């Protein structure tokens, strides 16, 4: 029963520390776009989607700071669960930014368009402008959020380009500056209680091995997606 609740902060710290020991260089999504033609032999592109909890995001940030790695933190602007303009959440956002991590936008523009009857293009441009003003710099990346509406926010990008909205990349794009998902080994905690992985965009059915087990296979290019909300000290309900 020792591993009945395996998604602890201590465990995720162990995984990243082990990756470094194995020789991986961990970088942000933006850094990947700048270095993709000259990557180190073992690369982890480190993405964090903040779905529900800024306080847990701060906890992850402190872990990354302690072991000396960077990540891209994608934040929502319309989450009922957190308000970036609140005193505490704005403090955390600036702490993450000042720690040298990349801030990106976790977008819900199809949801917004359907709920508000507004143009998705206008919603996106407005949100980018708001986030740019909030962090006092221009974001470079967007990652589509999967919410509760049943709509797919990534559908917006089927006939759109990130550069047309003043940003460098979308995190699942298959062309352009990023184009990583189908050109890497992708690991995600998005099932909450189990890991899943894709090899160049193909789901590895029933492969629930931990990141450490995948790191030991020495994949040359790993795209790692985690969510702060998944982790805890003792159990998920604490």
């Amino acid at each position: 029963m020792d591993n009945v609740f395996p998604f602890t902060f201590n465990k995720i710290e162990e995984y990243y520390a082990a990756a470094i020991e194995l020789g991986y260089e961990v970088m942000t999504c933006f850094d990947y776009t700048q270095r993709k033609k000259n990557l180190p032999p073992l690369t982890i592109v480190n993405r964090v989607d903040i779905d529900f909890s800024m306080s847990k995001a701060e906890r992850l940030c402190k872990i990354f700071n302690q072991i000396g790695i960077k990540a891209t933190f994608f934040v929502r602007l319309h989450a009922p669960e957190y308000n970036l303009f609140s005193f505490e959440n704005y403090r955390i956002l600036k702490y993450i930014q000042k720690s040298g991590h990349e801030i990106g936008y976790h977008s819900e523009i199809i949801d917004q368009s359907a709920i508000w009857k507004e143009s998705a293009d206008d919603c996106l441009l407005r949100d980018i402008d708001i986030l740019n003003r909030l962090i006092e710099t221009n974001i470079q990346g967007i990652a589509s959020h999967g919410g509760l509406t049943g709509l797919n926010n990534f559908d917006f990008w089927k006939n759109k380009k990130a550069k047309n909205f003043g940003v460098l990349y979308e995190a699942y794009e298959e062309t352009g500056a990023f184009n990583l998902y189908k050109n890497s080994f992708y690991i995600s905690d998005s099932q909450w209680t189990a890991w899943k992985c894709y090899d160049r965009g193909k789901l590895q059915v029933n492969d629930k091995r931990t990141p450490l087990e995948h790191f030991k296979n020495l994949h040359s290019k790993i795209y790692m997606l985690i969510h702060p909300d998944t982790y805890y000290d003792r159990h998920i309900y604490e």
Side-chain angles (χ1 to χ4, degrees):
M1 294 291 288
D2 289 344
N3 295 321
V4 67
F5 297 127
F7 283 82
T8 63
F9 285 108
N10 283 342
K11 187 60 67 175
I12 194 64
E13 181 175 357
E14 287 178 15
Y15 294 154
Y16 280 102
I20 295 169
E21 285 292 319
L22 287 166
Y24 279 96
E25 183 174 340
V26 183
M27 65 183 66
T28 68
C29 295
F30 174 73
D31 287 340
Y32 170 74
T33 67
Q34 303 304 291
R35 300 179 58 187
K36 61 187 294 187
K37 294 182 179 179
N38 188 30
L39 291 172
L42 297 174
T43 301
I44 294 175
V45 180
N46 195 21
R47 170 181 161 190
V48 179
D49 286 1
I50 309 176
D51 283 358
F52 305 125
S53 174
M54 286 295 290
S55 62
K56 287 192 172 187
E58 182 180 31
R59 183 75 178 276
L60 271 184
C61 180
K62 289 180 176 179
I63 288 173
F64 294 158
N65 292 349
Q66 181 175 327
I67 61 180
I69 62 174
K70 301 302 181 189
T72 301
F73 289 79
F74 289 96
V75 296
R76 298 168 67 191
L77 284 180
H78 307 286
E81 295 83 6
Y82 66 86
N83 172 15
L84 283 183
F85 291 85
S86 74
F87 291 109
E88 183 64 3
N89 288 342
Y90 179 73
R91 180 196 67 78
I92 293 170
L93 179 67
K94 297 299 285 189
Y95 170 74
I96 293 171
Q97 183 183 24
K98 289 177 181 178
S99 295
H101 304 281
E102 181 188 4
I103 302 296
Y105 176 40
H106 204 22
S107 67
E108 303 170 84
I109 43 185
I110 295 293
D111 294 338
Q112 292 166 242
S113 178
I115 291 169
W116 296 337
K117 310 304 181 193
E118 295 181 0
S119 159
D121 289 46
D122 291 344
C123 289
L124 179 57
L125 288 169
R126 181 175 60 220
D127 287 351
I128 290 171
D129 181 54
I130 289 169
L131 186 52
N132 286 347
R133 289 170 182 265
L134 188 62
I135 65 173
E136 299 179 288
T137 190
N138 291 338
I139 64 166
Q140 298 295 325
I142 294 171
S144 299
H145 174 66
L148 301 177
T149 64
L151 302 173
N152 186 345
N153 287 298
F154 184 68
D155 284 348
F156 176 83
W157 299 101
K158 287 181 176 179
N159 59 356
K160 308 282 187 179
K161 300 293 184 183
K163 64 181 181 181
N164 298 134
F165 295 87
V167 295
L168 184 61
Y169 68 88
E170 202 288 331
Y172 286 118
E173 68 184 3
E174 296 179 16
T175 59
F178 204 57
N179 191 21
L180 177 63
Y181 173 63
K182 288 192 174 180
N183 288 287
S184 65
F185 193 86
Y186 174 89
I187 305 170
S188 173
D189 64 3
S190 56
Q191 289 186 315
W192 286 81
T193 58
W195 292 96
K196 66 178 181 178
C197 61
Y198 295 72
D199 191 358
R200 289 171 172 76
K202 183 178 181 181
L203 176 65
Q204 303 302 287
V205 179
N206 295 325
D207 188 344
K208 298 180 180 181
R209 288 179 294 164
T210 68
L212 178 55
E213 292 172 285
H214 294 302
F215 296 161
K216 288 180 178 178
N217 287 335
L218 301 181
H219 297 283
S220 62
K221 191 162 46 180
I222 289 177
Y223 188 7
M224 181 90 165
L225 168 62
I226 63 173
H227 301 76
D229 326 286
T230 304
Y231 301 93
Y232 42 78
D233 287 306
R234 294 167 299 277
H235 58 83
I236 191 65
Y237 293 116
E238 63 192 17

